Amino acid sequence: MVKENSVELFNYIDESTECIKDNLEISYLEALIETGENFFEGEILQEEINDSQKDKLMNSIKQFISLPKDNESIRRAFQLAILKGMKQGVQTNHEMTPDGIAFIISYLVGKVTEGKQNLTILDPAIGTGNLLSTILNSSNDKFTASVGIDVDDVLVRIAFVIGNLLGHEVELFNQDSLAPLFVDPVDLVVCDLPVGFYPNTERAKNYALKAKEGMSYAHHLFIEQSMNYLKSGGFFISLVPNHLFTSEQSQQLQNYINETGVIQGLIQLPVSAFKDEKHQKSILIIRKNAENMKKPKQALLVDFPKLSNMKAVEDIMLQMNAWFKENLQ
Ligand code: SAM
Protein backbone atom coordinates (compact mmCIF):
# COMPACT_ATOMS: atom_id res chain seq x y z
CA MET A 1 0.00 0.00 0.00
CA VAL A 2 1.55 3.31 -1.08
CA LYS A 3 1.20 6.28 1.28
CA GLU A 4 -1.31 8.88 0.06
CA ASN A 5 1.02 11.68 -0.98
CA SER A 6 -0.93 13.60 -3.62
CA VAL A 7 -0.27 16.94 -1.92
CA GLU A 8 3.49 16.38 -1.90
CA LEU A 9 3.37 15.30 -5.55
CA PHE A 10 1.22 18.33 -6.34
CA ASN A 11 3.82 20.65 -4.77
CA TYR A 12 6.50 19.42 -7.22
CA ILE A 13 4.08 19.62 -10.15
CA ASP A 14 3.07 23.14 -9.13
CA GLU A 15 6.65 24.35 -8.56
CA SER A 16 7.68 23.13 -12.00
CA THR A 17 4.52 24.47 -13.68
CA GLU A 18 4.89 27.97 -12.18
CA CYS A 19 8.51 28.06 -13.27
CA ILE A 20 7.76 26.99 -16.87
CA LYS A 21 4.77 29.34 -17.04
CA ASP A 22 6.89 32.37 -16.12
CA ASN A 23 9.82 31.37 -18.32
CA LEU A 24 7.85 30.59 -21.44
CA GLU A 25 5.06 33.13 -20.80
CA ILE A 26 2.31 30.60 -21.33
CA SER A 27 -0.82 29.77 -19.33
CA TYR A 28 -0.70 27.56 -16.23
CA LEU A 29 -2.53 24.72 -18.02
CA GLU A 30 -0.14 24.87 -20.97
CA ALA A 31 2.82 24.85 -18.58
CA LEU A 32 1.26 21.87 -16.80
CA ILE A 33 1.44 19.92 -20.08
CA GLU A 34 5.17 20.74 -20.36
CA THR A 35 5.64 19.64 -16.74
CA GLY A 36 3.89 16.33 -17.41
CA GLU A 37 6.13 15.69 -20.41
CA ASN A 38 9.28 16.46 -18.40
CA PHE A 39 8.18 14.22 -15.55
CA PHE A 40 7.45 11.38 -17.98
CA GLU A 41 10.80 11.71 -19.81
CA GLY A 42 12.81 12.51 -16.67
CA GLU A 43 14.46 15.53 -18.32
CA ILE A 44 13.87 19.17 -19.24
CA LEU A 45 12.54 19.23 -22.79
CA GLN A 46 12.16 23.01 -23.17
CA GLU A 47 15.34 24.48 -24.62
CA GLU A 48 14.14 28.05 -23.98
CA ILE A 49 14.28 27.67 -20.16
CA ASN A 50 16.83 29.97 -18.47
CA ASP A 51 19.95 28.16 -17.28
CA SER A 52 19.46 29.70 -13.85
CA GLN A 53 16.06 27.95 -13.55
CA LYS A 54 17.17 24.55 -14.82
CA ASP A 55 18.46 23.27 -11.44
CA LYS A 56 15.17 24.13 -9.77
CA LEU A 57 13.21 22.36 -12.50
CA MET A 58 15.46 19.31 -12.47
CA ASN A 59 15.01 19.09 -8.71
CA SER A 60 11.18 18.96 -9.07
CA ILE A 61 11.51 16.25 -11.74
CA LYS A 62 13.82 14.11 -9.58
CA GLN A 63 11.70 14.54 -6.45
CA PHE A 64 8.51 13.64 -8.33
CA ILE A 65 10.08 10.55 -9.87
CA SER A 66 11.64 9.32 -6.63
CA LEU A 67 8.49 9.57 -4.48
CA PRO A 68 6.67 6.26 -4.03
CA LYS A 69 3.28 6.67 -5.66
CA ASP A 70 0.33 4.79 -7.12
CA ASN A 71 -1.91 5.81 -10.00
CA GLU A 72 -4.59 7.35 -7.80
CA SER A 73 -2.10 9.65 -6.05
CA ILE A 74 -0.68 10.78 -9.42
CA ARG A 75 -4.19 11.39 -10.77
CA ARG A 76 -5.22 13.37 -7.66
CA ALA A 77 -2.03 15.44 -7.67
CA PHE A 78 -2.55 16.45 -11.31
CA GLN A 79 -6.19 17.11 -10.57
CA LEU A 80 -5.20 19.68 -7.93
CA ALA A 81 -2.98 21.36 -10.51
CA ILE A 82 -5.75 21.32 -13.15
CA LEU A 83 -8.17 22.90 -10.67
CA LYS A 84 -5.62 25.62 -9.99
CA GLY A 85 -5.16 26.19 -13.74
CA MET A 86 -8.90 26.19 -14.40
CA LYS A 87 -9.48 28.86 -11.74
CA GLN A 88 -7.51 31.16 -14.03
CA GLY A 89 -10.33 30.90 -16.56
CA VAL A 90 -12.18 28.06 -18.24
CA GLN A 91 -15.71 27.81 -19.64
CA THR A 92 -18.21 25.99 -17.40
CA ASN A 93 -18.71 23.47 -20.18
CA HIS A 94 -15.01 22.56 -20.22
CA GLU A 95 -14.72 21.92 -16.49
CA MET A 96 -13.24 18.69 -15.23
CA THR A 97 -15.61 16.00 -13.94
CA PRO A 98 -15.37 16.17 -10.11
CA ASP A 99 -14.01 13.16 -8.25
CA GLY A 100 -17.16 12.26 -6.33
CA ILE A 101 -19.13 12.00 -9.58
CA ALA A 102 -16.31 10.20 -11.40
CA PHE A 103 -16.30 7.61 -8.58
CA ILE A 104 -20.05 6.97 -8.90
CA ILE A 105 -19.72 6.56 -12.68
CA SER A 106 -16.74 4.27 -12.11
CA TYR A 107 -18.85 2.15 -9.74
CA LEU A 108 -21.61 1.92 -12.40
CA VAL A 109 -19.05 0.92 -15.04
CA GLY A 110 -17.86 -1.82 -12.67
CA LYS A 111 -21.44 -3.06 -12.30
CA VAL A 112 -22.37 -3.16 -16.00
CA THR A 113 -19.07 -4.85 -16.90
CA GLU A 114 -18.99 -7.36 -14.03
CA GLY A 115 -17.44 -10.64 -15.12
CA LYS A 116 -16.56 -9.29 -18.58
CA GLN A 117 -13.14 -8.88 -20.18
CA ASN A 118 -11.61 -7.56 -23.44
CA LEU A 119 -13.89 -4.54 -23.52
CA THR A 120 -13.52 -1.26 -25.38
CA ILE A 121 -14.43 2.16 -23.99
CA LEU A 122 -14.90 5.61 -25.51
CA ASP A 123 -15.18 9.06 -23.92
CA PRO A 124 -16.24 11.49 -26.69
CA ALA A 125 -15.70 14.56 -24.44
CA ILE A 126 -12.57 13.42 -22.61
CA GLY A 127 -11.44 16.91 -21.51
CA THR A 128 -8.61 16.53 -18.99
CA GLY A 129 -9.26 12.78 -18.84
CA ASN A 130 -10.21 12.85 -15.15
CA LEU A 131 -13.39 10.81 -15.64
CA LEU A 132 -11.76 8.21 -17.91
CA SER A 133 -8.60 7.90 -15.76
CA THR A 134 -10.72 7.35 -12.63
CA ILE A 135 -12.49 4.51 -14.44
CA LEU A 136 -9.29 3.03 -15.86
CA ASN A 137 -7.49 3.28 -12.50
CA SER A 138 -10.14 1.04 -10.98
CA SER A 139 -10.68 -1.41 -13.85
CA ASN A 140 -7.89 -1.01 -16.41
CA ASP A 141 -7.49 -4.77 -16.87
CA LYS A 142 -11.01 -5.11 -18.30
CA PHE A 143 -10.32 -2.78 -21.21
CA THR A 144 -8.22 -3.70 -24.21
CA ALA A 145 -8.76 -0.37 -25.96
CA SER A 146 -9.71 3.09 -24.73
CA VAL A 147 -10.43 6.09 -26.90
CA GLY A 148 -10.84 9.74 -25.93
CA ILE A 149 -11.91 12.67 -28.10
CA ASP A 150 -12.12 16.39 -27.40
CA VAL A 151 -12.31 19.55 -29.44
CA ASP A 152 -10.13 21.51 -26.97
CA ASP A 153 -6.46 20.90 -27.83
CA VAL A 154 -5.06 22.03 -24.45
CA LEU A 155 -7.35 19.63 -22.57
CA VAL A 156 -6.53 16.71 -24.90
CA ARG A 157 -2.82 17.34 -24.34
CA ILE A 158 -3.40 17.31 -20.58
CA ALA A 159 -5.25 13.99 -20.94
CA PHE A 160 -2.30 12.72 -23.00
CA VAL A 161 0.47 13.56 -20.51
CA ILE A 162 -1.49 12.28 -17.50
CA GLY A 163 -2.44 9.11 -19.42
CA ASN A 164 1.27 8.50 -20.09
CA LEU A 165 2.23 8.96 -16.45
CA LEU A 166 -0.56 6.57 -15.40
CA GLY A 167 0.48 4.00 -17.98
CA HIS A 168 -2.96 3.97 -19.62
CA GLU A 169 -2.98 3.35 -23.33
CA VAL A 170 -5.63 5.76 -24.50
CA GLU A 171 -5.96 6.63 -28.17
CA LEU A 172 -6.69 10.35 -28.34
CA PHE A 173 -8.23 12.48 -31.06
CA ASN A 174 -8.42 16.27 -31.08
CA GLN A 175 -11.56 16.89 -33.11
CA ASP A 176 -15.26 17.63 -33.04
CA SER A 177 -16.92 14.44 -31.79
CA LEU A 178 -20.01 15.18 -33.83
CA ALA A 179 -18.00 14.81 -37.07
CA PRO A 180 -17.52 11.23 -38.37
CA LEU A 181 -15.18 9.34 -36.00
CA PHE A 182 -12.35 6.95 -36.83
CA VAL A 183 -13.44 4.60 -34.09
CA ASP A 184 -14.83 1.04 -34.20
CA PRO A 185 -18.03 0.48 -32.21
CA VAL A 186 -17.26 0.10 -28.50
CA ASP A 187 -18.78 -1.79 -25.56
CA LEU A 188 -19.07 1.28 -23.40
CA VAL A 189 -19.40 5.04 -23.87
CA VAL A 190 -18.80 7.20 -20.81
CA CYS A 191 -19.18 10.94 -20.89
CA ASP A 192 -19.72 14.20 -19.04
CA LEU A 193 -21.77 15.78 -21.82
CA PRO A 194 -21.09 19.30 -23.01
CA VAL A 195 -24.39 21.10 -22.55
CA GLY A 196 -25.71 23.82 -24.82
CA PHE A 197 -26.23 24.68 -28.47
CA TYR A 198 -24.12 23.13 -31.22
CA PRO A 199 -22.96 25.96 -33.51
CA ASN A 200 -22.38 23.86 -36.66
CA THR A 201 -25.93 23.82 -38.08
CA GLU A 202 -24.75 22.18 -41.34
CA ARG A 203 -23.27 19.17 -39.52
CA ALA A 204 -26.26 18.94 -37.20
CA LYS A 205 -28.39 18.09 -40.24
CA ASN A 206 -26.82 14.57 -40.21
CA TYR A 207 -28.59 13.80 -36.94
CA ALA A 208 -32.10 12.54 -36.27
CA LEU A 209 -32.04 14.73 -33.14
CA LYS A 210 -31.39 17.99 -35.00
CA ALA A 211 -33.67 20.83 -33.95
CA LYS A 212 -36.67 21.41 -36.21
CA GLU A 213 -35.72 25.09 -36.25
CA GLY A 214 -32.54 26.93 -35.29
CA MET A 215 -29.58 25.46 -33.46
CA SER A 216 -29.62 21.94 -32.09
CA TYR A 217 -28.66 20.87 -28.59
CA ALA A 218 -25.09 19.54 -28.52
CA HIS A 219 -26.04 17.24 -25.62
CA HIS A 220 -28.80 15.60 -27.69
CA LEU A 221 -26.49 15.12 -30.69
CA PHE A 222 -23.81 13.69 -28.39
CA ILE A 223 -26.26 11.06 -27.15
CA GLU A 224 -27.12 10.09 -30.75
CA GLN A 225 -23.45 9.99 -31.75
CA SER A 226 -22.65 7.82 -28.72
CA MET A 227 -25.41 5.37 -29.71
CA ASN A 228 -23.97 5.33 -33.27
CA TYR A 229 -20.60 4.16 -31.97
CA LEU A 230 -21.91 1.61 -29.45
CA LYS A 231 -22.06 -2.11 -30.16
CA SER A 232 -25.47 -3.77 -29.80
CA GLY A 233 -26.03 -4.42 -26.09
CA GLY A 234 -23.38 -1.81 -25.19
CA PHE A 235 -23.86 0.77 -22.44
CA PHE A 236 -23.92 4.56 -22.47
CA ILE A 237 -23.26 6.05 -19.03
CA SER A 238 -23.20 9.80 -18.90
CA LEU A 239 -23.59 12.87 -16.79
CA VAL A 240 -26.57 14.77 -18.24
CA PRO A 241 -28.32 18.02 -17.28
CA ASN A 242 -31.37 17.57 -15.04
CA HIS A 243 -33.49 19.37 -17.63
CA LEU A 244 -32.74 16.71 -20.28
CA PHE A 245 -36.23 15.22 -20.19
CA THR A 246 -38.14 18.43 -19.57
CA SER A 247 -36.86 20.77 -22.27
CA GLU A 248 -39.01 21.63 -25.29
CA GLN A 249 -37.11 19.12 -27.47
CA SER A 250 -37.23 16.31 -24.94
CA GLN A 251 -40.06 14.33 -26.57
CA GLN A 252 -37.98 13.92 -29.71
CA LEU A 253 -35.06 12.70 -27.59
CA GLN A 254 -37.24 10.33 -25.59
CA ASN A 255 -38.64 8.79 -28.81
CA TYR A 256 -35.12 8.38 -30.22
CA ILE A 257 -33.86 6.66 -27.06
CA ASN A 258 -36.88 4.32 -26.98
CA GLU A 259 -36.23 3.29 -30.59
CA THR A 260 -32.49 2.65 -30.19
CA GLY A 261 -32.15 1.37 -26.64
CA VAL A 262 -33.53 1.02 -23.15
CA ILE A 263 -33.10 3.47 -20.30
CA GLN A 264 -31.62 1.35 -17.53
CA GLY A 265 -31.22 4.03 -14.92
CA LEU A 266 -31.33 7.67 -13.95
CA ILE A 267 -29.42 8.73 -10.87
CA GLN A 268 -30.10 12.22 -9.65
CA LEU A 269 -27.03 13.66 -7.96
CA PRO A 270 -27.19 15.74 -4.76
CA VAL A 271 -27.66 19.50 -5.13
CA SER A 272 -24.50 20.02 -3.07
CA ALA A 273 -22.39 18.47 -5.88
CA PHE A 274 -22.99 21.52 -8.09
CA LYS A 275 -22.28 25.22 -7.89
CA ASP A 276 -25.83 26.28 -8.61
CA GLU A 277 -29.25 24.81 -9.27
CA LYS A 278 -29.11 25.64 -12.98
CA HIS A 279 -26.15 23.31 -13.52
CA GLN A 280 -27.47 20.31 -11.61
CA LYS A 281 -26.93 16.95 -13.24
CA SER A 282 -27.91 13.29 -13.18
CA ILE A 283 -26.28 10.14 -14.47
CA LEU A 284 -28.16 8.48 -17.31
CA ILE A 285 -27.61 4.83 -18.25
CA ILE A 286 -28.88 3.59 -21.61
CA ARG A 287 -28.32 0.15 -23.10
CA LYS A 288 -28.33 -0.12 -26.87
CA ASN A 289 -30.82 -2.63 -28.26
CA ALA A 290 -29.60 -6.15 -28.99
CA GLU A 291 -31.38 -9.40 -29.85
CA ASN A 292 -32.70 -11.25 -26.78
CA MET A 293 -31.55 -8.46 -24.49
CA LYS A 294 -32.75 -8.81 -20.89
CA LYS A 295 -34.80 -5.71 -20.08
CA PRO A 296 -35.01 -4.45 -16.51
CA LYS A 297 -38.43 -4.91 -14.84
CA GLN A 298 -38.10 -1.33 -13.73
CA ALA A 299 -35.41 1.26 -14.39
CA LEU A 300 -33.00 2.12 -11.59
CA LEU A 301 -34.25 5.48 -10.30
CA VAL A 302 -32.14 6.90 -7.53
CA ASP A 303 -31.85 10.16 -5.61
CA PHE A 304 -28.22 9.99 -4.62
CA PRO A 305 -27.54 11.38 -1.11
CA LYS A 306 -24.78 13.86 -0.19
CA LEU A 307 -21.44 12.08 -0.42
CA SER A 308 -20.60 13.26 3.11
CA ASN A 309 -23.54 11.25 4.49
CA MET A 310 -21.73 7.91 4.64
CA LYS A 311 -24.64 5.92 6.09
CA ALA A 312 -27.07 7.10 3.38
CA VAL A 313 -24.44 6.44 0.66
CA GLU A 314 -23.92 2.89 1.97
CA ASP A 315 -27.69 2.25 2.01
CA ILE A 316 -28.14 3.49 -1.55
CA MET A 317 -25.17 1.42 -2.74
CA LEU A 318 -26.79 -1.69 -1.23
CA GLN A 319 -30.02 -0.90 -3.07
CA MET A 320 -28.15 -0.33 -6.32
CA ASN A 321 -26.18 -3.59 -5.90
CA ALA A 322 -29.47 -5.44 -5.43
CA TRP A 323 -30.94 -3.81 -8.56
CA PHE A 324 -27.95 -4.80 -10.70
CA LYS A 325 -28.07 -8.35 -9.36
CA GLU A 326 -31.73 -8.73 -10.20
CA ASN A 327 -31.76 -6.94 -13.53
CA LEU A 328 -28.40 -7.40 -15.18
CA GLN A 329 -26.50 -10.43 -13.93
N1 SAM B 1 -14.87 14.39 -18.37
C1 SAM B 1 -14.05 15.54 -18.63
C2 SAM B 1 -12.94 15.62 -17.58
O1 SAM B 1 -12.94 14.84 -16.62
O2 SAM B 1 -12.09 16.53 -17.70
C3 SAM B 1 -14.84 16.83 -18.62
C4 SAM B 1 -15.73 17.00 -19.80
S1 SAM B 1 -16.35 18.65 -19.94
C5 SAM B 1 -17.71 18.69 -18.91
C6 SAM B 1 -17.03 18.61 -21.56
C7 SAM B 1 -15.98 18.55 -22.64
O3 SAM B 1 -16.63 18.52 -23.91
C8 SAM B 1 -15.00 19.71 -22.68
O4 SAM B 1 -13.70 19.25 -22.49
C9 SAM B 1 -15.17 20.29 -24.10
O5 SAM B 1 -13.96 20.73 -24.66
C10 SAM B 1 -15.75 19.10 -24.84
N2 SAM B 1 -16.50 19.40 -26.06
C11 SAM B 1 -17.47 20.35 -26.24
N3 SAM B 1 -17.97 20.28 -27.50
C12 SAM B 1 -17.31 19.28 -28.13
C13 SAM B 1 -17.37 18.71 -29.43
N4 SAM B 1 -18.24 19.18 -30.33
N5 SAM B 1 -16.55 17.68 -29.74
C14 SAM B 1 -15.67 17.21 -28.81
N6 SAM B 1 -15.56 17.70 -27.57
C15 SAM B 1 -16.37 18.71 -27.21
Side-chain angles (χ1 to χ4, degrees):
M1 181 85 179
V2 180
K3 181 173 144 265
E4 167 56 56
N5 52 6
S6 307
V7 174
E8 215 176 329
L9 291 169
F10 163 73
N11 288 337
Y12 295 120
I13 296 171
D14 185 48
E15 201 173 83
S16 154
T17 304
E18 285 290 356
C19 176
I20 295 176
K21 169 180 162 252
D22 294 342
N23 261 261
L24 304 188
E25 296 182 357
I26 53 181
S27 71
Y28 187 90
L29 287 179
E30 285 165 324
L32 181 64
I33 297 167
E34 305 292 329
T35 293
E37 284 177 345
N38 290 352
F39 284 8
F40 182 66
E41 297 295 340
E43 59 179 311
I44 301 169
L45 299 170
Q46 302 74 27
E47 285 168 7
E48 315 88 302
I49 299 280
N50 265 335
D51 278 346
S52 61
Q53 300 291 318
K54 282 195 173 152
D55 285 349
K56 191 173 155 195
L57 268 188
M58 207 54 221
N59 180 52
S60 312
I61 296 175
K62 283 189 185 147
Q63 297 284 2
F64 179 89
I65 292 175
S66 65
L67 271 179
K69 50 195 170 300
D70 60 13
N71 267 359
E72 271 301 279
S73 38
I74 299 175
R75 188 188 62 74
R76 285 207 189 98
F78 270 91
Q79 192 195 32
L80 292 175
I82 294 166
L83 286 173
K84 177 172 173 182
M86 285 192 163
K87 273 200 191 129
Q88 298 171 15
V90 69
Q91 296 173 34
T92 318
N93 241 343
H94 290 209
E95 275 175 6
M96 177 167 62
T97 309
D99 261 11
I101 296 172
F103 284 130
I104 301 173
I105 296 186
S106 193
Y107 157 82
L108 295 169
V109 168
K111 282 289 161 199
V112 303
T113 58
E114 207 156 295
K116 296 182 186 160
Q117 286 292 330
N118 299 325
L119 301 173
T120 50
I121 183 166
L122 162 71
D123 183 344
I126 187 168
T128 64
N130 195 45
L131 173 60
L132 190 60
S133 337
T134 306
I135 294 167
L136 294 181
N137 272 356
S138 74
S139 51
N140 196 16
D141 48 342
K142 281 186 185 168
F143 297 102
T144 47
S146 323
V147 182
I149 308 171
D150 205 286
V151 76
D152 184 322
D153 65 313
V154 173
L155 297 184
V156 174
R157 284 165 61 216
I158 291 179
F160 173 73
V161 291
I162 300 177
N164 280 344
L165 285 162
L166 297 177
H168 296 155
E169 279 181 37
V170 184
E171 200 180 350
L172 290 166
F173 296 91
N174 177 206
Q175 67 157 87
D176 178 355
S177 286
L178 298 175
L181 307 179
F182 303 100
V183 176
D184 289 329
V186 293
D187 297 290
L188 197 66
V189 173
V190 289
C191 196
D192 179 352
L193 290 184
V195 180
F197 288 112
Y198 180 55
N200 189 335
T201 41
E202 236 355 84
R203 188 166 282 153
K205 287 184 186 156
N206 301 328
Y207 288 84
L209 290 178
K210 63 179 176 289
K212 296 203 171 70
E213 270 173 32
M215 270 201 272
S216 308
Y217 284 136
H219 42 292
H220 288 196
L221 306 186
F222 256 77
I223 293 178
E224 183 174 339
Q225 183 73 322
S226 300
M227 297 304 279
N228 290 340
Y229 285 87
L230 260 185
K231 291 181 189 169
S232 303
F235 286 88
F236 168 80
I237 305 182
S238 181
L239 211 54
V240 297
N242 274 5
H243 55 72
L244 189 73
F245 293 116
T246 50
S247 79
E248 81 287 0
Q249 289 177 34
S250 63
Q251 192 54 50
Q252 199 188 352
L253 174 69
Q254 188 102 46
N255 295 344
Y256 171 83
I257 295 176
N258 291 341
E259 277 161 25
T260 49
V262 176
I263 293 188
Q264 305 269 320
L266 189 63
I267 296 161
Q268 184 156 346
L269 295 167
V271 181
S272 56
F274 304 96
K275 274 189 219 133
D276 59 59
E277 226 172 287
K278 233 175 54 216
H279 293 123
Q280 272 177 44
K281 294 186 183 176
S282 300
I283 300 171
L284 174 65
I285 311 172
I286 307 173
R287 188 168 193 187
K288 185 165 172 171
N289 284 335
E291 252 177 68
N292 305 322
M293 189 171 92
K294 182 175 171 184
K295 292 193 178 155
K297 285 189 201 115
Q298 206 189 345
L300 173 71
L301 298 177
V302 171
D303 240 335
F304 209 90
K306 263 189 187 169
L307 290 171
S308 54
N309 186 345
M310 293 294 286
K311 174 77 181 75
V313 170
E314 264 171 36
D315 287 349
I316 214 80
M317 290 304 224
L318 287 176
Q319 285 174 36
M320 295 201 324
N321 286 345
W323 184 92
F324 279 108
K325 197 159 182 209
E326 188 178 342
N327 291 285
L328 265 191
Q329 288 137 25

